[in-house]
Amino acid sequence: MSAPTLDVDPWHVREPHVDTGTLDVAESLFSLSNGYLGIRGTLDEVEPFGMRGTYLSGVYETHPLSYPEGGYGQPGEGQALLTVTDGTPLRLLVDGIPLDVREVRPEVHERTLDLRAGTLDRRVRWTTPRGTTVEVSSRRLVSLAERSICAVRYEVRALDGPAHVVVRSEVASGAVTPTGVDNDDPRVKDVLDNAFEPMVHACAPTGGTLASRTRRSGITVAAAVDHVVDGGRVSSDADEHRVVTVVAADLAAGGALGITKVVAHTWSLDAWAGSLVGQASAAVASALDLGWEGLLAAQRDVLDEFWATADVEVDGDPELQQALRYSVFQLFCSAACISGAPVGAKGLTGMGYSGHTFWDVEGFVLPALTLLRPDTAARLLRWRAETIGSARERARTLGRAGAAFAWRTISGPEVSAYWPASTAAMHVNADIARAFWLYQNATGEDLDDVGGLPVLVETARLWMSLGHEDAAGAWHLFGMTGPDEYTGVVDDNVFTNLMARANLRRAADACRRHEARAADLGVDHTETAAWRSAAAAVHVPWDEGLRVHPMNANFTAYEEWPFEEQRDAYPVQEHQHYATFYRRQVLKQADLVQALWWCRDEFTDEEVARDLEYYEARTVRDSSLSAAVQAVVCAQAQHPDLALRYLRECALVDLRDVQEGTAQGLHMASVAGAWLALAAGLGGLREDHEDLEIAPCSRRRSPAPPTTSPGAVRCCASRRPRRAPRSRWCAARGR
Amino acid sequence: MSAPTLDVDPWHVREPHVDTGTLDVAESLFSLSNGYLGIRGTLDEVEPFGMRGTYLSGVYETHPLSYPEGGYGQPGEGQALLTVTDGTPLRLLVDGIPLDVREVRPEVHERTLDLRAGTLDRRVRWTTPRGTTVEVSSRRLVSLAERSICAVRYEVRALDGPAHVVVRSEVASGAVTPTGVDNDDPRVKDVLDNAFEPMVHACAPTGGTLASRTRRSGITVAAAVDHVVDGGRVSSDADEHRVVTVVAADLAAGGALGITKVVAHTWSLDAWAGSLVGQASAAVASALDLGWEGLLAAQRDVLDEFWATADVEVDGDPELQQALRYSVFQLFCSAACISGAPVGAKGLTGMGYSGHTFWDVEGFVLPALTLLRPDTAARLLRWRAETIGSARERARTLGRAGAAFAWRTISGPEVSAYWPASTAAMHVNADIARAFWLYQNATGEDLDDVGGLPVLVETARLWMSLGHEDAAGAWHLFGMTGPDEYTGVVDDNVFTNLMARANLRRAADACRRHEARAADLGVDHTETAAWRSAAAAVHVPWDEGLRVHPMNANFTAYEEWPFEEQRDAYPVQEHQHYATFYRRQVLKQADLVQALWWCRDEFTDEEVARDLEYYEARTVRDSSLSAAVQAVVCAQAQHPDLALRYLRECALVDLRDVQEGTAQGLHMASVAGAWLALAAGLGGLREDHEDLEIAPCSRRRSPAPPTTSPGAVRCCASRRPRRAPRSRWCAARGR
């Protein structure tokens, strides 16, 4: 477990002592973001750090994707989120000694994320080798009111004697941290490490400006910085890579130096560098006009308004209380000011997955935001709708009609390089379409107000060209990969088939409501009739012997996974070859079980109960996407204790680094999933019909499962001893 | 069509005029090889050329294989055949004018491969811009008697006046030609272009020596050269990259200069460079001791002995007569002196497929050689048996028992970077095992004399760990890819299942014959009983409605391929995505049809007839591996006319560049397949039972097919208008 030790508190996430072994995880947890701008929770003095990072949503560079054995239609170009100019550094020297927690162990080092104030506070007390004790306090925010702004109030106090204090404040561009891209083609590193070409820089006594442009994607970024200093001498200098402001003071015992640092970031695909610098400078002026207290007040106002409708109260479980509020806070911050860009799988909290967005943003983040912040959800939906050009082009490349949305992307085009888990995972198109229809159901707004009609029409067309009828009239989808990434390229994946059915029907419904708009898209009654007819004929595999749904044709005939032999070999994908597990009864994550939630009308209660038991025993949950789904379906199947356990796991995924991936950024789908596990799980909230439904799950003892599957026994007995047993289902039954 | 125009002649392949547009194909066709050493048919004066190349079987370099999205067990290192020191150059200047066919069109330029003499002869007459007419004749051989030797007799005669003649003879090392590796990772090019580190060089008046070592694979190569000159002045010079010998003469009208150039190549994984140079020099001395006429005589002796038993006579079809003799010649030359190395898919005739060997060498080349040259076949089988260590390691990586042989390799380890077409194609293991049992059947020798017992035992163990029994006791193989590369990762591929059955039974038989040896390998009666039991339970899918075998579970339910829409879009894999065709009824090459041949006892005559018709209509034959199989099975199904057409296509694949891949080297599987198409096809030769069988197919009219499939109509109507209709089956029926 590499997570930092944190205090449990209903409205704060507090790290009482710094631990250099968990800095990278803490940086993710203490990330501040507003969806436009995100900064990782690095120390003010930069070193030591795990991964530095300031990110602007939508600012990426392209890089070559080359294949040792390629094939037609494999994307030739990748995209990676970039670290932009880093405005956080405030390097402190006291009597010539730098503050570095590795060198001098501070007596006090406390960091606190305040979920109501929207600030990251730090308090340090340290004694220099010469015996001077100083107290440093900093408060950092990424403004939820002024999207370009991050600001820091930094104070140094000499406690017990005079001290010569120097603070070097930097705004630094260029490659400040490893790219983190999982690609050892040296060209990729070259491209990403040298992504920016400096354009202009300027300097004033208390700050300056910088602008640069990406060499391949042609995105210009600018930053401006200014400082308000209380009790010190200030000077600044700038070159093409940085603006450096030095503040110096001679403090008497009890004396203090205070600095307010305001940094603004802007970007554009078409604006001229000088103009962007002007925008950044104006943003700094606006923030300085508000002043530090004004920025704090505005931050609190936004959050007060948010919490007034979005708060979650949990009795009797302070750890869950904290984790849920933390999740809701980070969910809100991930998208509050977003515009014309997607939420990445890690939000703006790290470089994991190269900053790409995936279907789980539409699957989890968007439905949660739709209920909590419909205006934000609308902006995200609009972004996706605007990528339809890329999606149409991808469908053409694949020889299909309609639009095939990207498995992973930043700006729209498909950039996934492993097709069995991406191009074959056509369900993403229905997942994306679903976010639009849920938005319509939940908000009462029309889905076409956010660009939904073309999305539904073109995904319906895609499904029609992917599926075919057999001689008996049943409609099939062959060669698909469902949500579970341990089973690939299969026929009639139930989740995919049912989501395609829903997609076809919702598209036909939407066209009925918008006849003229639909006609503009070339849709006529014959076409929608064909959609409905295919939807009605969708084949759903069923195993009559086991009385469960095989998650795809033939799945229940696959060999069982040898759980006993695989004791510590998790995650499976890092210890076994695709060829080894693609045709075994082992799941990375919920797949059929996700259909039990998202396509609930297709299953009887008995089917839900039996299917859930069957797949619980075979799901190793190497994916963070699973717990929320399992929580919801356990509640749906009247297992509230299990639902609660999964909910806790989901809510704590980052605070406890359960998946050991938090160092690379927060798991945004789990962040949203935690709230969904509560609202849709224990709360029984459903927004897939015309009217919202709430059916809270009571905490009575869950019914005993009807049968005992050998897989269930196996998976509890042996898997992952270093962590909790993988299947909470099994654990709860003492097996 | 990019093939050169060639004269039809029963014992010669003659190019009457040089065509600079087809040089690369001609270089492959005029390749000379003895299996140890191969040289492409470049012009003596080097320029112009398509691809220069001198190859030593087993001399390769490793290079990084990096994946944009990798996975556990993907090979991290590739291998590529290297071009070694090129000893062919003889650059001619007459009165200071270089012979270059691009500059001065020769009056005569004729090249002839003599299939009985084993020489490539060239005759050129040209007139320099100054009006001097000279005749150049060269005769080149790669010795079938002295494996290290290539030699050239080069003569220049001044016909109509005096001439100052200079010949610069080179032996040049280093990157003389592009690598041809289909990998745009710049590290791969860097590695392969700089594969050799020079070690030693030396010079004598009439020649010299060179040695260098590969930087990564650690293979040392050496070359020695000497010249015997009639009527000229000689001097030589050497540096670390080349030995250059200059021969000059002042010819009177009618006078001639003659040069015999002898080059020897040697390589070793462990010998010291100086020692290898010594071996090469000794080989040159041996060749010089034989003299040019002695080398020619030895060459003819070897070929006389070969043709005495291997000749193929065809009446009434001179084109086929030539093509079959050419195929048999190249088949023999590809392996005559091979030792401790495999035959690559392109032999030593080009850089195609990076020089890798594939299952089709065991599938086609080895069975043909077993019947024609059992001693050569034995050496190839021993090489494969010696790679069992790599195969065992690969099986461990895949979490399986036994040994999993490489889909593509030079020295044993798997180097394929696209697993659905390689790691999933487990049939290669049975194909390899089959080569051992056919050897035993055909020669009467025991398969364990060539290392076959461990191969059979370990492949049987692999199958046992890949397959599993269902509740009803049927034995399945899921997630496999059969020979057809347009259908991937499927369940119960019939070819794979039946080959696994044969493999299990042959392994059990072999263990019964070698109880003690089998016991050393840990085999007991319980294990072999389990093999036989699994073999008996092998599931074979059957479509009762269509009364054909689906080539894998569910295949006949796949959507049909839209042949009309794909008019010129061949090969399919270059115009469509895997995700588009993996689950359609379109085949690159024979798959189920190959089972009709290799597993003939499993099918009734009626099944053969119906299955053949079904798959003929769906096979686009984008692979050169298909025609031979189709020829054999058409003969088996009593369609001799069709069998003959496929046989011709197979035999002419390189001479007519049918697949447009000959520039990269000859298609060795087709070279062998042509002979098999004749012997096993029209000849009805079968060596899979205890006794050899011959059942020539009579040329009576083939029976009408029982039904007309719509697919068959389609494929003839529309596919590949620029070539012959893809399915000769359809063409023959006038559809």
Side-chain angles (χ1 to χ4, degrees):
Chain A
M1 196 84 71
S2 59
T5 306
L6 302 170
D7 293 343
V8 175
D9 176 297
W11 284 105
H12 301 87
V13 175
R14 183 177 300 113
E15 179 197 53
H17 311 288
V18 69
D19 173 3
T20 52
T22 60
L23 276 178
D24 49 1
V25 175
E27 284 162 6
S28 296
L29 293 173
F30 291 140
S31 284
L32 295 172
S33 169
N34 61 19
Y36 179 85
L37 165 67
I39 58 178
R40 281 173 63 81
T42 38
L43 302 176
D44 300 294
E45 60 277 9
V46 183
E47 284 83 19
F49 66 87
M51 177 168 68
R52 286 173 78 174
T54 297
Y55 313 107
L56 291 169
S57 58
V59 175
Y60 66 92
E61 182 61 308
T62 63
H63 59 78
L65 277 182
S66 76
Y67 303 80
E69 287 185 40
Y72 169 89
Q74 312 271 49
E77 203 162 60
Q79 301 184 336
L81 185 70
L82 292 173
T83 55
V84 299
T85 311
D86 182 2
T88 60
L90 288 155
R91 300 178 189 273
L92 173 66
L93 270 87
V94 178
D95 296 338
I97 307 293
L99 170 55
D100 186 321
V101 298
R102 292 168 301 190
E103 281 191 44
V104 188
R105 184 91 200 154
E107 293 105 68
V108 174
H109 191 295
E110 188 182 278
R111 288 195 289 175
T112 306
L113 180 65
D114 185 321
L115 305 177
R116 282 178 299 202
T119 56
L120 176 65
D121 302 336
R122 182 188 187 202
R123 202 161 63 81
V124 183
R125 182 182 297 177
W126 67 305
T127 304
T128 69
R130 289 188 190 175
T132 312
T133 301
V134 292
E135 192 171 68
V136 182
S137 65
S138 82
R139 170 166 281 193
R140 182 192 282 183
L141 62 81
V142 168
S143 178
L144 293 161
E146 312 254 315
R147 72 174 189 189
S148 296
I149 297 295
C150 70
V152 193
R153 176 67 187 173
Y154 191 81
E155 293 178 357
V156 186
R157 183 172 301 276
L159 294 186
D160 53 4
H164 176 226
V165 173
V166 171
V167 178
R168 176 186 156 103
S169 168
E170 297 172 8
V171 171
S173 73
V176 296
T177 200
T179 55
V181 169
D182 181 25
N183 190 323
D184 61 357
D185 182 338
R187 288 173 301 172
V188 176
K189 190 174 152 44
D190 280 358
V191 163
L192 298 180
D193 284 352
N194 303 294
F196 287 107
E197 185 187 358
M199 301 295 288
V200 296
H201 62 276
C203 185
T206 57
T209 56
L210 281 178
S212 53
R213 186 167 57 200
T214 59
R215 295 174 204 271
R216 293 165 57 105
S217 56
I219 298 171
T220 306
V221 298
V225 60
D226 208 345
H227 300 79
V228 177
V229 176
D230 307 315
R233 306 177 289 277
V234 195
S235 65
S236 294
D237 193 13
D239 65 21
E240 60 184 7
H241 293 300
R242 63 188 59 76
V243 177
V244 177
T245 301
V246 176
V247 181
D250 301 298
L251 301 183
L257 167 67
I259 304 170
T260 301
K261 178 179 188 180
V262 175
V263 185
H265 298 270
T266 54
W267 71 271
S268 171
L269 254 172
D270 43 31
W272 168 60
S275 157
L276 262 190
V277 164
Q279 290 178 24
S281 300
V284 167
S286 171
L288 289 178
D289 182 57
L290 280 172
W292 174 247
E293 293 304 327
L295 283 170
L296 284 179
Q299 188 83 338
R300 190 172 282 269
D301 285 350
V302 173
L303 284 165
D304 283 350
E305 188 210 329
F306 175 66
W307 287 119
T309 58
D311 189 22
V312 177
E313 288 184 24
V314 177
D315 285 342
D317 188 340
E319 208 179 15
L320 180 60
Q321 171 68 78
Q322 180 189 43
L324 277 168
R325 284 215 176 102
Y326 177 75
S327 295
V328 171
F329 173 83
Q330 287 290 8
L331 174 65
F332 174 62
C333 293
S334 74
C337 303
I338 206 164
S339 178
V343 171
K346 298 289 197 177
L348 296 175
T349 69
M351 298 286 276
Y353 302 110
S354 301
H356 298 159
T357 190
F358 295 77
W359 66 276
D360 38 294
V361 168
E362 272 83 0
F364 301 95
V365 174
L366 254 164
L369 281 174
T370 294
L371 290 155
L372 292 168
R373 299 294 289 187
D375 56 330
T376 304
R379 269 179 282 126
L380 280 176
L381 289 166
R382 265 187 222 107
W383 170 80
R384 181 59 88 169
E386 281 161 12
T387 70
I388 202 162
S390 297
R392 283 193 178 112
E393 197 181 315
R394 182 70 181 154
R396 289 309 86 73
T397 298
L398 299 174
R400 307 297 184 173
F405 287 93
W407 167 260
R408 59 193 302 171
T409 191
I410 294 177
S411 74
E414 179 64 80
V415 297
S416 177
Y418 177 62
W419 78 264
S422 57
T423 302
M426 285 289 178
H427 69 88
V428 302
N429 296 286
D431 306 334
I432 287 166
R434 168 179 173 265
F436 285 87
W437 76 64
L438 290 185
Y439 173 83
Q440 175 168 295
N441 286 3
T443 64
E445 303 293 321
D446 194 284
L447 60 81
D448 200 37
D449 295 349
V450 290
L453 190 67
V455 172
L456 265 70
V457 165
E458 294 291 49
T459 48
R461 286 172 170 163
L462 176 73
W463 290 119
M464 291 304 285
S465 75
L466 286 169
H468 76 288
E469 273 192 15
D470 66 19
W475 193 85
H476 300 275
L477 288 165
F478 286 171
M480 300 282 138
T481 297
D484 171 39
E485 294 171 36
Y486 288 170
T487 313
V489 195
V490 294
D491 299 341
D492 286 326
N493 172 262
V494 171
F495 176 83
T496 306
N497 283 20
L498 292 178
M499 288 297 293
R501 168 184 280 175
N503 195 158
L504 289 165
R505 288 180 173 160
R506 298 281 185 163
D509 292 348
C511 288
R512 191 172 50 199
R513 273 192 312 276
H514 296 279
E515 291 225 358
R517 281 270 296 138
D520 290 347
L521 294 165
V523 182
D524 58 20
H525 291 294
T526 314
E527 186 170 12
T528 56
W531 297 349
R532 290 192 195 277
S533 160
V538 163
H539 176 68
V540 180
W542 172 250
D543 185 321
E544 186 56 39
L546 294 170
R547 299 197 59 73
V548 297
H549 289 91
M551 60 183 261
N552 49 261
N554 224 17
F555 180 83
T556 49
Y558 294 176
E559 200 173 354
E560 296 281 1
W561 186 245
F563 287 109
E564 312 83 9
E565 296 165 20
Q566 305 289 329
R567 297 191 170 273
D568 292 324
Y570 295 91
V572 170
Q573 72 204 37
E574 290 176 16
H575 297 82
Q576 296 285 351
H577 195 281
Y578 293 118
T580 308
F581 55 74
Y582 264 17
R583 289 296 178 277
R584 299 283 189 95
Q585 291 201 44
V586 59
L587 285 75
K588 183 176 180 183
Q589 67 218 84
D591 187 296
L592 190 281
V593 167
Q594 190 162 295
L596 300 178
W597 172 17
W598 291 12
C599 308
R600 61 180 171 129
D601 299 327
E602 304 276 358
F603 300 90
T604 67
D605 289 349
E606 194 203 330
E607 286 168 1
V608 170
R610 293 185 57 87
D611 285 345
L612 177 64
E613 182 179 9
Y614 191 83
Y615 289 99
E616 277 292 280
R618 289 160 179 83
T619 306
V620 295
R621 298 187 297 127
D622 288 338
S623 165
S624 63
L625 299 181
S626 212
V629 179
Q630 290 172 294
V632 171
V633 179
C634 282
Q636 191 175 332
Q638 303 303 319
H639 297 297
D641 290 351
L642 276 171
L644 179 61
R645 288 177 192 220
Y646 280 125
L647 159 60
R648 293 188 95 257
E649 181 180 308
C650 188
L652 290 163
V653 70
D654 289 314
L655 289 174
R656 299 286 176 275
D657 194 19
V658 173
Q659 291 281 342
E660 293 173 5
T662 299
Q664 296 292 312
L666 302 177
H667 296 80
M668 292 316 300
S670 286
V671 161
W675 187 83
L676 290 171
L678 181 80
L682 293 173
L685 177 73
R686 291 292 181 281
E687 76 283 39
D688 52 347
H689 291 181
E690 285 281 306
D691 298 314
L692 288 190
E693 299 170 23
I694 304 264
C697 187
S698 63
R699 198 164 178 169
R700 57 186 162 84
R701 182 72 189 125
S702 46
T707 59
T708 302
S709 102
V713 177
R714 278 195 220 116
C715 75
C716 296
S718 56
R719 275 183 274 165
R720 295 190 116 160
R722 70 199 163 86
R723 303 192 197 162
R726 285 281 83 193
S727 170
R728 298 202 176 277
W729 175 273
C730 304
R733 272 158 188 69
R735 287 186 267 143
Chain B
M1 196 86 69
S2 58
T5 305
L6 302 170
D7 292 344
V8 175
D9 176 297
W11 283 105
H12 300 89
V13 175
R14 182 178 300 115
E15 181 197 51
H17 310 288
V18 69
D19 173 3
T20 54
T22 59
L23 275 179
D24 48 2
V25 175
E27 285 161 5
S28 296
L29 293 174
F30 291 140
S31 286
L32 295 173
S33 169
N34 60 21
Y36 179 85
L37 164 68
I39 59 178
R40 281 174 63 80
T42 39
L43 302 176
D44 301 294
E45 60 276 11
V46 182
E47 284 84 18
F49 66 87
M51 177 168 67
R52 284 173 78 175
T54 298
Y55 312 108
L56 291 169
S57 58
V59 174
Y60 65 92
E61 183 60 309
T62 63
H63 60 77
L65 277 182
S66 77
Y67 303 80
E69 286 186 38
Y72 169 88
Q74 313 271 49
E77 204 163 60
Q79 301 184 335
L81 185 71
L82 293 173
T83 55
V84 300
T85 311
D86 182 2
T88 60
L90 287 155
R91 300 178 190 274
L92 172 66
L93 270 88
V94 178
D95 295 338
I97 307 292
L99 169 56
D100 186 321
V101 298
R102 294 168 299 191
E103 281 190 45
V104 187
R105 184 90 198 154
E107 292 106 68
V108 174
H109 191 294
E110 186 183 280
R111 289 194 289 175
T112 306
L113 180 65
D114 184 321
L115 305 177
R116 282 178 298 200
T119 56
L120 177 64
D121 301 336
R122 182 187 186 202
R123 202 161 62 85
V124 183
R125 182 183 297 176
W126 66 306
T127 304
T128 68
R130 290 188 189 173
T132 312
T133 302
V134 291
E135 191 173 68
V136 181
S137 66
S138 82
R139 169 166 282 192
R140 182 192 281 183
L141 63 81
V142 168
S143 178
L144 294 161
E146 311 255 313
R147 73 174 189 191
S148 296
I149 297 296
C150 71
V152 192
R153 175 67 188 175
Y154 193 79
E155 291 177 357
V156 186
R157 183 175 300 275
L159 293 187
D160 51 4
H164 177 227
V165 173
V166 172
V167 177
R168 179 186 154 102
S169 167
E170 297 172 8
V171 171
S173 72
V176 296
T177 201
T179 55
V181 169
D182 181 24
N183 189 322
D184 61 356
D185 183 337
R187 289 173 301 172
V188 176
K189 191 173 153 38
D190 281 356
V191 163
L192 298 182
D193 284 352
N194 303 293
F196 287 107
E197 184 187 358
M199 303 295 287
V200 297
H201 62 276
C203 187
T206 56
T209 56
L210 281 178
S212 53
R213 186 167 55 200
T214 59
R215 294 173 203 273
R216 294 165 56 105
S217 56
I219 298 172
T220 306
V221 298
V225 59
D226 207 345
H227 300 77
V228 176
V229 176
D230 308 314
R233 305 177 289 280
V234 195
S235 65
S236 295
D237 194 13
D239 65 20
E240 59 185 8
H241 294 301
R242 62 189 59 76
V243 177
V244 177
T245 301
V246 175
V247 181
D250 300 299
L251 301 183
L257 167 67
I259 303 171
T260 301
K261 178 180 187 180
V262 174
V263 185
H265 297 269
T266 54
W267 72 271
S268 170
L269 254 172
D270 43 32
W272 168 61
S275 157
L276 264 189
V277 163
Q279 289 177 26
S281 301
V284 167
S286 171
L288 289 179
D289 182 56
L290 281 172
W292 174 247
E293 294 303 327
L295 284 170
L296 285 179
Q299 189 83 338
R300 190 172 281 270
D301 284 350
V302 172
L303 284 164
D304 282 351
E305 188 211 330
F306 174 66
W307 288 119
T309 58
D311 188 22
V312 177
E313 288 183 25
V314 177
D315 284 342
D317 188 340
E319 207 178 17
L320 181 60
Q321 170 70 76
Q322 180 188 45
L324 277 168
R325 283 215 178 103
Y326 178 74
S327 294
V328 170
F329 173 82
Q330 287 290 7
L331 174 65
F332 173 61
C333 291
S334 74
C337 303
I338 206 164
S339 177
V343 171
K346 297 289 197 177
L348 296 175
T349 69
M351 297 287 276
Y353 303 110
S354 300
H356 298 159
T357 191
F358 295 76
W359 66 276
D360 38 294
V361 169
E362 272 84 0
F364 302 94
V365 174
L366 255 163
L369 280 175
T370 293
L371 290 155
L372 291 169
R373 299 294 289 189
D375 56 328
T376 304
R379 268 178 282 125
L380 280 175
L381 289 166
R382 265 188 222 107
W383 170 81
R384 181 59 88 170
E386 280 161 13
T387 70
I388 201 162
S390 297
R392 284 194 177 111
E393 198 181 314
R394 183 68 181 156
R396 290 309 84 74
T397 298
L398 299 173
R400 306 296 184 174
F405 287 93
W407 168 260
R408 61 193 300 171
T409 192
I410 294 177
S411 75
E414 178 64 81
V415 298
S416 176
Y418 177 62
W419 77 264
S422 56
T423 301
M426 285 291 178
H427 69 86
V428 301
N429 296 286
D431 305 335
I432 287 167
R434 169 179 173 266
F436 286 87
W437 77 64
L438 290 186
Y439 173 82
Q440 175 168 297
N441 286 3
T443 63
E445 303 293 320
D446 193 284
L447 60 81
D448 200 38
D449 295 348
V450 289
L453 190 67
V455 171
L456 265 71
V457 165
E458 294 291 50
T459 49
R461 286 172 171 162
L462 176 74
W463 291 118
M464 291 304 286
S465 75
L466 286 168
H468 77 289
E469 273 192 14
D470 66 19
W475 193 85
H476 300 276
L477 288 165
F478 285 172
M480 300 283 138
T481 298
D484 172 40
E485 294 170 36
Y486 287 170
T487 313
V489 195
V490 294
D491 299 340
D492 287 328
N493 171 262
V494 171
F495 176 83
T496 307
N497 283 19
L498 292 178
M499 288 298 292
R501 168 184 279 175
N503 195 159
L504 289 165
R505 287 179 173 159
R506 297 282 186 164
D509 292 348
C511 288
R512 192 172 49 199
R513 273 192 311 278
H514 295 279
E515 290 226 356
R517 280 273 294 140
D520 290 347
L521 294 165
V523 182
D524 59 19
H525 290 294
T526 315
E527 187 169 12
T528 55
W531 296 350
R532 290 192 194 277
S533 160
V538 163
H539 177 68
V540 180
W542 171 250
D543 186 321
E544 186 56 40
L546 295 170
R547 299 197 58 72
V548 297
H549 288 91
M551 60 182 261
N552 50 261
N554 225 18
F555 180 83
T556 49
Y558 294 177
E559 201 173 353
E560 296 280 0
W561 187 245
F563 287 109
E564 311 84 9
E565 297 166 20
Q566 305 290 329
R567 296 191 171 274
D568 291 325
Y570 294 91
V572 169
Q573 72 204 34
E574 290 174 17
H575 297 83
Q576 296 285 351
H577 194 283
Y578 293 119
T580 308
F581 56 74
Y582 264 17
R583 290 296 177 278
R584 298 283 189 94
Q585 292 200 44
V586 60
L587 285 74
K588 182 176 180 184
Q589 67 218 84
D591 187 296
L592 190 283
V593 168
Q594 189 162 296
L596 300 178
W597 173 17
W598 292 12
C599 310
R600 61 178 172 130
D601 299 328
E602 305 275 358
F603 301 89
T604 66
D605 288 349
E606 193 203 331
E607 286 168 1
V608 169
R610 293 185 58 87
D611 286 345
L612 176 65
E613 182 178 9
Y614 191 84
Y615 290 99
E616 277 292 281
R618 290 160 178 85
T619 306
V620 295
R621 299 187 297 128
D622 287 339
S623 165
S624 62
L625 299 181
S626 213
V629 178
Q630 291 173 293
V632 171
V633 179
C634 282
Q636 191 175 331
Q638 303 303 320
H639 298 297
D641 290 351
L642 276 171
L644 179 61
R645 289 176 191 221
Y646 279 126
L647 158 60
R648 292 187 97 259
E649 181 179 310
C650 189
L652 290 162
V653 69
D654 290 314
L655 288 174
R656 299 288 175 273
D657 194 19
V658 174
Q659 292 279 342
E660 293 174 6
T662 300
Q664 295 293 310
L666 303 177
H667 296 79
M668 292 315 302
S670 286
V671 161
W675 187 82
L676 290 171
L678 180 80
L682 293 173
L685 178 73
R686 291 294 182 278
E687 75 283 40
D688 52 347
H689 291 180
E690 285 281 306
D691 297 313
L692 290 191
E693 298 169 24
I694 304 264
C697 187
S698 63
R699 201 163 175 171
R700 57 185 163 83
R701 182 73 189 127
S702 44
T707 59
T708 301
S709 105
V713 177
R714 278 195 220 118
C715 74
C716 296
S718 56
R719 274 184 274 163
R720 297 190 114 161
R722 70 196 162 89
R723 302 193 197 161
R726 285 282 84 192
S727 171
R728 298 204 176 278
W729 175 274
C730 305
R733 273 157 190 68
R735 286 185 270 142

